[in-house]
Amino acid sequence: MLAATACGQMYRKPGDPPAAAQPDPAQQQFEPSAQNAPPPPPSSGPPSSAAPNDPYAPVAAEPVAMGGGAKAIAQRFVDAHNAVRAKHCAGPLTWSPKLAAVAQKWADTLRDKGCAFGHSGGQYGENLAAGTEGVLDPEATVKMWYDEIAKYKFPNGGFSMETGHFTQVIWRGTTQVGCGHSQCKGNDIWVCNYDPAGNWDGQYRENVLPRGCK
């Protein structure tokens, strides 16, 4: 059975008190048979500087370990993001090896925890996706996130668990992306990190424009 699921996160306004910490992602498992498995609760704490011993700090890693070569996969993710961002007057993203290393480390962590599926709680914006091996390539992953546009309420929309990936993908204030990939129990796991992070409460009107930008 083919299956795909995704998870996005949000942030509060700068200066707002941080929300309660997310549950340990090891408690949330991705199962291929759960086609519409609900994602874990979004992270709502504002980004902050990484501590010296931050386990999600950048490490040396290839952006994506998948057929076609890491550089080719990276470019496909950039192109897929920029194709939809252009429809919403959002500037093109550039690939960040730093973000890719962070994303790869978290993808490996989810794999090592037995296909856990949850957010890292790091300082960057983050979209997750998982599906039966071979179902999700870069283009299909970004399309799945972008297709949430059907549920977004322009021009006054805000964060929703049903649209959080879409809003991060086209967030105008975001300028860089980096993604990582791992495999577990016959599934592909994708993690993309974004800087600056999107999905800030109170900033949607200026950062999430409708198609045609009017």
Side-chain angles (χ1 to χ4, degrees), residues 85 91-95 99 171-177 194-196:
R85 286 174 64 84
L93 301 180
T94 58
W95 184 263
L99 293 177
W171 194 265
R172 297 181 75 197
T174 297
T175 59
Q176 293 185 308
V177 65
Y194 302 85
D195 189 36

Side-chain angles (χ1 to χ4, degrees), residues 50-110:
N53 295 321
D54 184 352
Y56 311 119
V59 295
E62 288 293 326
V64 181
M66 188 178 182
K71 290 184 179 179
I73 295 296
Q75 190 61 53
R76 287 168 64 186
F77 262 113
V78 169
D79 291 346
H81 277 85
N82 289 342
V84 295
R85 286 174 64 84
K87 300 177 182 180
H88 299 267
C89 294
L93 301 180
T94 58
W95 184 263
S96 167
K98 175 182 176 182
L99 293 177
V102 175
Q104 186 62 51
K105 188 167 186 177
W106 187 242
D108 290 343
T109 297
L110 295 178

Side-chain angles (χ1 to χ4, degrees), residues 142-186:
V142 174
K143 181 180 185 301
M144 179 172 68
W145 293 336
Y146 180 76
D147 283 350
E148 294 174 354
I149 186 175
K151 298 181 179 180
Y152 190 77
K153 307 298 183 183
F154 294 101
N156 299 316
F159 181 79
S160 165
M161 292 293 287
E162 296 184 327
T163 60
H165 308 93
F166 159 68
T167 51
Q168 174 59 87
V169 166
I170 70 159
W171 194 265
R172 297 181 75 197
T174 297
T175 59
Q176 293 185 308
V177 65
C179 304
H181 170 257
S182 64
Q183 293 180 319
C184 177
K185 299 180 182 179

Side-chain angles (χ1 to χ4, degrees), residues 174-208:
T174 297
T175 59
Q176 293 185 308
V177 65
C179 304
H181 170 257
S182 64
Q183 293 180 319
C184 177
K185 299 180 182 179
N187 302 308
D188 286 313
I189 299 174
W190 293 100
V191 179
C192 284
N193 285 140
Y194 302 85
D195 189 36
N199 290 351
W200 280 90
D201 188 20
Q203 299 180 14
Y204 284 82
R205 181 180 284 270
E206 62 266 36
N207 280 286
V208 182

Side-chain angles (χ1 to χ4, degrees), residues 97-134:
K98 175 182 176 182
L99 293 177
V102 175
Q104 186 62 51
K105 188 167 186 177
W106 187 242
D108 290 343
T109 297
L110 295 178
R111 176 200 64 204
D112 295 344
K113 288 181 177 290
C115 292
F117 196 60
H119 283 293
S120 64
Q123 70 191 89
Y124 304 112
E126 186 171 83
N127 277 351
L128 307 179
T132 305
E133 188 173 334

